[in-house]
Amino acid sequence: SKNLSKKELAAALNVSREAVQKWESGLRKPPIEMAISIADFFDVSLDYLFDHKTTGVMISKEDAEKLIDLKTVIESIDKKTK
């Protein structure tokens, strides 16, 4: 949606172009912390990012629970710093 090349997205996320290529092709899934950064960068929810019906990406129940816990912690910290 932002018309970025893999190289530009990689630079914006501070990762390698190869990492972006692997995520995009489905060879690898981004770590949970990176998934949050990707969702923030594209201004979408984690639900949208990991909606396997539209993206083909599925995460385990354990990873989903970690995402929920991590998001709650981040939101709590964010509220305290504002």
Side-chain angles (χ1 to χ4, degrees):
S1 68
K2 293 190 180 210
N3 290 324
L4 299 174
S5 68
K6 288 176 185 67
K7 184 177 179 180
E8 292 168 324
L9 179 58
L13 296 172
N14 200 28
V15 297
S16 69
R17 187 194 62 76
E18 291 78 14
V20 172
Q21 171 64 34
K22 288 177 183 177
W23 300 335
E24 188 177 59
S25 68
L27 292 175
R28 288 227 165 140
K29 295 178 189 171
I32 291 171
E33 295 81 4
M34 183 55 62
I36 292 170
S37 295
I38 294 168
D40 286 346
F41 181 79
F42 286 105
D43 196 29
V44 297
S45 69
L46 289 170
D47 290 338
Y48 177 85
L49 189 64
F50 285 105
D51 179 4
H52 69 278
K53 292 176 186 168
T54 57
T55 65
V57 176
M58 291 184 70
I59 59 172
S60 68
K61 181 179 177 185
E62 181 180 288
D63 280 349
E65 289 169 355
K66 287 179 186 175
L67 279 171
I68 291 167
D69 291 343
L70 187 56
K71 187 174 185 226
T72 302
V73 169
I74 290 170
E75 288 171 349
S76 175
I77 291 170
D78 193 38
K79 286 178 185 175
K80 290 179 183 177
T81 60
K82 286 184 179 181

